Amino acid sequence: ARGYVICGSGHGTTGFSAPDKDGNWKGLDVDTCRAIAIAVLGDASKTRFVPLTGQQRLTALQTGQIDVLPRTTSWTLRRDANGINFTYPNYYEYDAFMVRKDLGITQTKDMNGATICVQTGSTNEVTVADLSRKFKLGLKTVLFDNVAASRQAFFSGRCDGLITDASAL
């Protein structure tokens, strides 16, 4: 009715959702939103993008702040049960770690007692807890509001490792 689709997007994930030097949004998630606008309104330009953090994205969808969330969001049973309606995935992803080379870590089981930078509210946070418990690693999470902050903390030496989606690494 308003004449455009409001899409939740990332804060600048190259290849998925990021504005270029001219402010034009580009990437797989952006193209997905534009495809929805074509299907519903007949025009790819009838889109608006709202950059959201991992913590904000589901609330924005549930409260109607956005119409659709074509961005990195794992399909989980809990999210399904809480009223999020998922469609078919347009991209398959997995969690991965990046660790400092000087630690000599070659597999997850070698990470005993490591500090891990992670985005709060993400499925990556659950993965760290599950792996720590399963392999009795005693991993310590250092939580950040967004991927950029967790990445910056890792590269500044605040954490031994960083977990996020493999494509982001």
Side-chain angles (χ1 to χ4, degrees):
R2 83 173 81 77
Y4 57 90
V5 178
I6 304 172
C7 298
S9 67
H11 274 276
T13 308
T14 304
F16 292 91
S17 62
D20 64 15
K21 62 180 172 55
D22 298 321
N24 299 311
W25 285 84
K26 306 259 185 202
L28 177 64
D29 298 339
V30 171
D31 289 344
T32 300
C33 184
R34 290 190 175 124
I36 293 167
I38 290 170
V40 174
L41 302 169
D43 186 346
S45 69
K46 294 187 176 192
T47 54
R48 303 293 185 275
F49 299 97
V50 177
L52 299 165
T53 66
Q55 280 187 295
Q56 297 169 325
R57 64 190 166 169
L58 296 176
T59 302
L61 184 61
Q62 290 172 313
T63 61
Q65 179 185 352
I66 58 173
D67 299 317
V68 65
L69 184 63
R71 68 159 282 195
T72 52
T73 302
S74 299
W75 189 345
T76 67
L77 181 59
R78 173 172 279 162
R79 289 174 178 169
D80 231 4
N82 285 329
I84 303 293
N85 294 316
F86 287 87
T87 63
Y88 294 101
N90 68 342
Y91 185 82
Y92 287 93
E93 182 64 281
Y94 60 93
D95 297 342
F97 287 98
M98 180 184 296
V99 295
R100 292 193 343 253
K101 187 175 183 176
D102 65 344
L103 296 176
I105 295 171
T106 59
Q107 56 185 340
T108 305
K109 293 178 184 181
D110 296 336
M111 296 173 60
N112 196 30
T115 55
I116 307 297
C117 290
V118 63
Q119 180 181 335
T120 188
S122 68
T123 54
N124 305 133
E125 188 176 4
V126 175
T127 299
V128 171
D130 288 348
L131 287 172
S132 185
R133 189 173 30 260
K134 179 178 180 177
F135 296 116
K136 298 176 177 55
L137 295 174
L139 298 174
K140 299 166 198 75
T141 56
V142 183
L143 301 174
F144 298 92
D145 289 337
N146 59 65
V147 174
S150 61
R151 187 180 303 133
Q152 181 179 12
F154 171 72
F155 285 115
S156 70
R158 187 162 172 203
C159 306
D160 299 318
L162 168 68
I163 185 171
T164 189
D165 298 339
S167 62
L169 295 179

